[in-house]
Amino acid sequence: MKILVTGGAGYIGSHACLELLEAGYEVIVIDNLSNSKEESLTRVQELTDKELKFYKADLLDREALDKVFKEQAIDAVMHFAGLKAVGESVSMPLGYYHNNITGTLMLCEAMKKHGVRDLVFSSSATVYGDPDRVPITEDFPLRATNPYGQTKLMIEQILQDLHVADDSFNIAILRYFNPIGAHKSGRIGEDPNGIPNNLVPYITQVASGKMRELRVFGDDYPTPDGTGVRDYIHVVDLVLGHLKALDKLQTNPGVVIYNLGTGQGYSVLEMVDAFSKVVGKPIPYKVTDRRQGDIPTCFADPTKAKKELSWTATMGLTQMCEDSWRWQSNNPDGY
Ligand code: NAD
Ligand code: UFG
């Protein structure tokens, strides 16, 4: 089977390419490299000793997209391409709406035109906003608190409407909780541009001496130690959920929605502690004000994915920290 991976050079996409190749799929990647480097794909091919086909192209470029679908007999699409920085989305809403939504529309049009009907989409736990309770099940009310989250909500709606109009489309909407970690080789991983927004890349950069100290955004939340609680999931577990979703699409399920999380929440201070142990030295931090828009607690109920996809996350916190740290220490300046 030939799988088109949009955003395949990025953090999660590159791990997906690797697992797809390992599982015997043929892989075609489209990425405009706006937030990634082609080196990730070179390394994926080295690690698997298999080849993939890379098109440096933008989803907004209709002709380029058409060319890919014409040249390749694509069976299914995994759609990772998108801009993902919450803060940036607040200051650049038009850019985010255009890239994420128009990009997805172009992709769906190309799929329709070329008779490709199976799609796995990267959504996010951000669509639950600040949930009334935890753990979060897929039927919770949806709300977005920033333009990035709005793009995910809108795309989910667009994909459902697409299926209503043409029920030959099969679509898996996967709501990720907090992906961290890296492939065990330490050769591919998350390579943020500039100062990291997210907790784990920030911690690993503090541990490696690139950043002086971590700022803990608030310790007065209604959580056991006052710091924010999240459901961190190993990126390899996460992408294995995509392979299971791909299998599910072969049963013509229509639109299916799954949380991909572990079901276990950890606080910021628990993460700091876990990393200190793995790194073998304390991670310096100071508590600062809350970050605007953050919620106290977010973790998944992953039961539905377990039942319907036979998927469950298997890697624990120590392994996530070890793998994040191996990537960071072997690649202090990223790719
Ligand atoms: P990433 O930035 O590493 O990867 C996204 C890739 O898409 C990049 O390689 C980028 O160059 C490419 N891209 C962006 N716009 C494009 C366009 N118009 N045309 C072609 N390529 C384009 O991000 P990631 O962490 O790998 O995230 C992948 C997906 O998962 C995104 O849709 C993101 O919103 C979603 N997601 C990520 C997280 C997370 O914490 N990392 C959480 C929930 C959901
Ligand atoms: N945090 C700090 N200091 C930092 C960075 C983060 O204390 O320097 C705290 C945050 O306040 C939060 C926790 O660490 O309590 C996790 O923050 P992240 O920025 O790593 O992750 P978020 O849960 O805020 O958001 C991430 C993605 C979103 C996505 C969401 C759910 O950035 O795009 O996970 O998937 F929607």
Side-chain angles (χ1 to χ4, degrees):
M1 254 178 104
K2 208 178 248 194
I3 312 298
L4 175 65
V5 182
T6 77
Y11 170 44
I12 305 171
S14 57
H15 286 82
C17 290
L18 188 148
E19 295 301 332
L20 284 166
L21 288 170
E22 295 280 26
Y25 291 94
E26 282 181 71
V27 174
I28 313 298
V29 170
I30 298 186
D31 199 302
N32 64 3
L33 303 181
S34 59
N35 196 39
S36 53
K37 308 237 167 60
E38 194 177 342
E39 174 67 13
S40 63
L41 296 173
T42 305
R43 294 188 185 185
V44 164
Q45 294 174 94
E46 279 167 17
L47 287 165
T48 56
D49 203 17
K50 291 182 179 164
E51 282 183 16
L52 54 73
K53 172 86 183 151
F54 174 51
Y55 291 85
K56 182 176 182 305
D58 199 305
L59 289 186
L60 298 169
D61 180 346
R62 196 188 301 270
E63 278 166 25
L65 208 50
D66 203 47
K67 178 168 180 277
V68 175
F69 278 88
K70 266 196 194 128
E71 285 181 8
Q72 306 290 341
I74 309 268
D75 294 296
V77 179
M78 283 191 189
H79 178 30
F80 296 96
L83 298 173
K84 63 165 183 177
V86 172
E88 190 181 62
S89 81
V90 175
S91 52
M92 296 175 44
L94 301 181
Y96 269 66
Y97 286 118
H98 187 49
N99 190 74
N100 292 5
I101 294 179
T102 315
T104 303
L105 293 176
M106 300 277 213
L107 175 67
C108 292
E109 278 168 10
M111 288 177 68
K112 213 169 152 52
K113 178 172 169 193
H114 294 276
V116 181
R117 290 294 183 266
D118 290 347
L119 175 68
V120 180
F121 172 62
S122 306
S123 189
S124 164
T126 195
V127 298
Y128 298 115
D130 187 356
D132 295 333
R133 53 181 202 284
V134 281
I136 299 169
T137 50
E138 289 82 352
D139 56 0
F140 268 35
L142 304 180
R143 42 179 105 95
T145 52
N146 55 68
Y148 166 71
Q150 291 287 4
T151 69
K152 292 296 179 196
L153 262 185
M154 289 178 194
I155 293 169
E156 286 199 4
Q157 184 63 52
I158 289 166
L159 297 177
Q160 311 226 26
D161 293 344
L162 178 62
H163 172 260
V164 170
D166 178 349
D167 66 8
S168 64
F169 270 95
N170 289 298
I171 299 168
I173 293 173
L174 304 181
R175 295 182 181 149
Y176 308 164
F177 282 69
N178 290 56
I180 64 168
H183 186 256
K184 60 182 182 322
S185 62
R187 294 285 292 155
I188 58 171
E190 186 170 12
D191 181 18
N193 267 330
I195 297 172
N197 294 307
N198 297 115
L199 180 66
V200 167
Y202 207 104
I203 290 182
T204 56
Q205 293 203 9
V206 171
S208 73
K210 276 187 94 177
M211 297 283 171
R212 206 164 52 84
E213 64 182 1
L214 173 73
R215 286 173 303 153
V216 174
F217 296 140
D219 65 353
D220 57 351
Y221 283 107
T223 61
D225 65 19
T227 65
V229 169
R230 297 290 184 275
D231 184 338
Y232 297 94
I233 174 170
H234 197 293
V235 64
V236 173
D237 272 334
L238 184 86
V239 303
L240 292 174
H242 291 62
L243 270 69
K244 294 285 193 177
L246 206 52
D247 292 343
K248 179 78 180 176
L249 294 182
Q250 308 316 306
T251 68
N252 279 325
V255 178
V256 284
I257 302 180
Y258 299 105
N259 285 340
L260 295 186
T262 66
Q264 166 81 52
Y266 290 102
S267 74
V268 176
L269 293 181
E270 285 174 317
M271 295 302 286
V272 169
D273 190 49
F275 268 99
S276 307
K277 290 197 175 106
V278 163
V279 172
K281 60 182 180 198
I283 309 285
Y285 69 86
K286 72 162 183 248
V287 176
T288 64
D289 288 345
R290 292 180 177 193
R291 180 171 67 179
Q292 208 195 339
D294 272 355
I295 58 174
T297 303
C298 174
F299 60 90
D301 180 339
T303 309
K304 191 178 175 208
K306 184 172 183 187
K307 242 193 226 152
E308 296 186 15
L309 300 180
S310 308
W311 171 88
T312 192
T314 61
M315 294 188 236
L317 185 59
T318 303
Q319 189 166 0
M320 296 188 223
C321 297
E322 283 171 357
D323 291 346
S324 296
W325 178 234
R326 187 179 306 108
W327 156 254
Q328 171 66 40
S329 36
N330 290 353
N331 306 268
D333 299 314
Y335 285 110

